[in-house]
Amino acid sequence: MELIFERSRPGRGTDLLPPLDVPACPVPEEFARKEAPRLPEIGESDLSRHYQALARRAFGVCDGFYPLGSCTMKYNPKLGEDMAALPGFTGIHPLQPGHTVKGCQLAMAQTEYALARITGMDRVTLQPAAGAHGEFTGLLLIKAYHRHRGDNARTVILVPDSAHGTNPASAAMAGFTVRNIPSNADGLVDLEALRAACGPDTAGLMLTNPNTVGLFERDILEITKIVHEAGGLVYYDGANLNAIMGVARPGDMGFDVCHLNLHKTFATPHGGGGPGSGPVGCKEFLAPFMPGSALCGNGGEHSIGQVRAFHANFLVVIRALAYLMRLGNARVAEAAQGAVLNANYLKRKLEEAGYTAAFPGLCMHEFVLTLEGLKKETGVSALDVAKAMLDDGIHPPTMYFPLIVHEALMFEPTETEAPETLDQAAAVLADILRRAKEDPESLHAAPHSTVVGRPDETAAARHPVVRYSFPEG
Ligand SMILES: *Cc1c(COP(=O)(O)O)cnc(C)c1O
């Protein structure tokens, strides 16, 4: 497909402005460009068709089933977009006098309050602009707490080996040393290994529950107790809170700090580089270290300081508030229950079709298959199966994650899928399994129907071409 620059023809455009009929006001010399910018010149219809054609090559939740585990696109209701587009929310400036934006402040305060109730935390800041940014902020709180007590030996953050990659990265960025905690055969935190790793150098543990393989840590109270007894704090990665929101609260499990991804669980699309929001909640004893909040203005007495300019990615917060107000108290739990029900339904269907779950028993909002056996038997890999799904209009699940499961495919159907969609996906996967055994070659070559099939992912990551070079002359 031609690029927009390649479709450009000199003199063409969409410019319908009448000729200038007032005196021209030239840009001062020192600010003026030396050369005209090389913008594409193209007629309006061709321009629309170009982007429409590009959009048809993309795949989103409005195109089909999208069971990408862990970081999935969850529910992005259109209502949230309408609310975030209201002129009262879009037509403001962060430096406007406070008394002229009372409604917006109230919306932020309501969101803080709702998120505090959902997480079981006492304080919430909306400042962090992403999940990883929330982790970083939370870790700075933990650091400030230990420093404030003069406990400077606590330099280690414990992270389970199944953790999301941002966890160890954030801990390293916040200046901690990262120590891995192995999982046991059931995919849960190994309590003995945790006990052995805890000591006077433990600053804290980062954990998500349900964990990254979709399992609820049954011993969570014991886990948080072990860390607390060693003098550390416990951090909750709540990026995907939809498994338990309204049903169980990190604050009640013994967690001291947490973040949420509003751009996953609370109605803003995730991915594509759009704005995110990773609010952080904490227990009262950490409040003096918090950055500012909508209600309290500046941060507490020993604040770590602002972690972002102004208040928040405000319109993402509005979408979250609209989502929560629309659901109301009772139905927040219903959304979580739907997510868990759908995941278990699909898991069972795939097991019946002959797939192997990495961990048996009930899962939470997502589950992991291992295709190690299939690969040994037929040579067909998790990648081949994921690619084959594309031919049936299904977005592949998360592949090769978490690292502790070989040939992993991680599915998260989300609460909004109808049983028919799950049945159809299970049928597609059953058929792929049959083909893997009868005609493995056809799967090595999949997908057959997409514009791009198997790009060189290593080259794309190592040598990305993100800039157009004009031909010389
Ligand atoms: C997505 C995710 C993160 C990171 O969120 P970003 O907004 O992408 O930085 C952290 N932890 C878990 C479990 C996640 O799924």
Side-chain angles (χ1 to χ4, degrees), residues 70-71 130-133 135 164 166-167 208 237 239-240 259 261 263-264 270:
S70 184
C71 282
H133 193 189
E135 291 168 24
H164 194 269
T166 50
N167 288 190
T208 182
D237 178 340
N240 309 291
H259 87 267
N261 276 30
H263 54 292
K264 278 180 190 168
H270 171 252

Side-chain angles (χ1 to χ4, degrees), residues 392-423:
D392 286 283
I394 299 179
H395 192 285
T398 298
M399 306 180 299
Y400 298 96
F401 180 82
L403 302 176
I404 55 173
V405 177
H406 295 148
E407 295 297 322
L409 287 181
M410 177 195 262
F411 289 81
E412 178 175 356
T414 81
E415 68 277 12
T416 43
E417 295 301 341
E420 293 78 18
T421 308
L422 303 180
D423 288 343

